[in-house]
Amino acid sequence: MTINLAPALRGLGLCALAAALTTLLNTIAPLFYSASDFDGRMALIGNPFYVARQWVLLIHPAVTLLLALGLALALFERCTGRASAGLIFAGVEKMTEFVLGFLIIAVVNPVWKAGYLAASDPAVAPQLRLQLDLFGEIIGGLVYLLWTMFILSTALFALALDRHRGGIETLLFWSAAVAIGITVIMFFGDLFSLGWTAPVVSWLYPPAMTAHRLLAGLWLLGRARELRHASCVGC
């Protein structure tokens, strides 16, 4: 029995378009707030742009994981191993992002940061600051895991594409290559404290990642139309 994937790919394609939107919002939101010291960063929990970005960051892993599921389904018959491994690596990345986002919204911001700002006991504030610094160190370490998983999953999906087919599929392949390149620059720039990487990433990352996920959504919607058309012809 042949399974009609067209409805699933159409829905997952729309999720990919939502992922492009959350990517854009996530990257431009920091332009609307800033903090120069520790207390200023803690006070951002009262900034509406900062708060909105935290909710975007919670939704973002879900829609990007569904994007990865769409790519895996669309590419499974063509390259089963690459599609399956790509989905596994994407799952590790997105679930890690979701856990961190949930902790920030449920614990770090309303309990630790709010408690630090409201602390009247001189012994409480240093303890909360220590917890916040520790959480920041954990995130600082986990970003290497997130970047590695993104590079692996994106590379596997890209290698399953036919870059010579033309149209959106070729553009999707090359947008994946650009996204991987930028992530590699981020990885080694942060690891070795390379100052030149920050302005490069700040200029290239938002449009490149948004475009990559937009193309993924359009490609999935195109594959859904092709499968629906083939199904109708078969009838």
Side-chain angles (χ1 to χ4, degrees):
M1 182 180 70
T2 303
I3 300 175
N4 181 13
L5 292 177
L9 293 184
R10 184 166 56 251
L12 294 169
L14 294 174
C15 290
L17 297 181
L21 178 60
T22 58
T23 299
L24 180 63
L25 293 175
N26 175 39
T27 52
I28 66 173
L31 299 176
F32 297 94
Y33 61 82
S34 63
S36 58
D37 56 18
F38 184 85
D39 286 1
R41 293 195 300 274
M42 299 304 101
L44 287 176
I45 60 174
N47 184 293
F49 291 103
Y50 172 84
V51 173
R53 182 172 183 251
Q54 304 315 304
W55 286 102
V56 170
L57 288 171
L58 188 65
I59 298 169
H60 179 73
V63 289
T64 48
L65 181 56
L66 291 172
L67 181 160
L69 176 60
L71 292 176
L73 286 176
L75 297 168
F76 187 80
E77 186 175 353
R78 186 189 301 181
C79 294
T80 303
R82 292 172 184 174
S84 301
L87 181 59
I88 291 171
F89 289 131
V92 173
E93 178 201 358
K94 302 311 174 185
M95 288 307 299
T96 303
E97 284 185 344
F98 181 80
V99 170
L100 290 175
F102 179 79
L103 287 174
I104 289 171
I105 285 178
V107 178
V108 175
N109 285 350
V111 180
W112 294 357
K113 290 184 179 180
Y116 174 85
L117 293 172
S120 56
D121 187 339
V124 172
Q127 178 61 36
L128 289 172
R129 177 163 185 163
L130 180 62
Q131 293 174 200
L132 290 161
D133 286 339
L134 178 59
F135 186 74
E137 291 295 323
I138 292 172
I139 291 180
L142 285 175
V143 293
Y144 295 107
L145 171 66
L146 298 176
W147 290 336
T148 300
M149 293 298 101
F150 174 80
I151 291 168
L152 291 173
S153 65
T154 305
L156 286 164
F157 287 139
L159 290 172
L161 294 168
D162 182 3
R163 67 180 183 275
H164 302 296
R165 187 178 183 184
I168 292 179
E169 187 159 348
T170 298
L171 291 175
L172 179 58
F173 173 86
W174 289 111
S175 71
V178 171
I180 291 169
I182 294 172
T183 307
V184 169
I185 291 173
M186 291 170 61
F187 188 105
F188 288 103
D190 189 82
L191 185 64
F192 296 110
S193 301
L194 304 176
W196 63 268
T197 62
V200 172
V201 170
S202 66
W203 278 99
L204 294 181
Y205 184 88
M209 296 301 292
T210 302
H212 173 60
R213 286 163 179 155
L214 177 62
L215 287 169
L218 294 175
W219 182 75
L220 287 173
L221 292 174
R223 287 292 296 141
R225 285 193 297 271
E226 290 173 7
L227 292 175
R228 186 170 64 254
H229 177 71
S231 176
C232 291
V233 171
C235 296

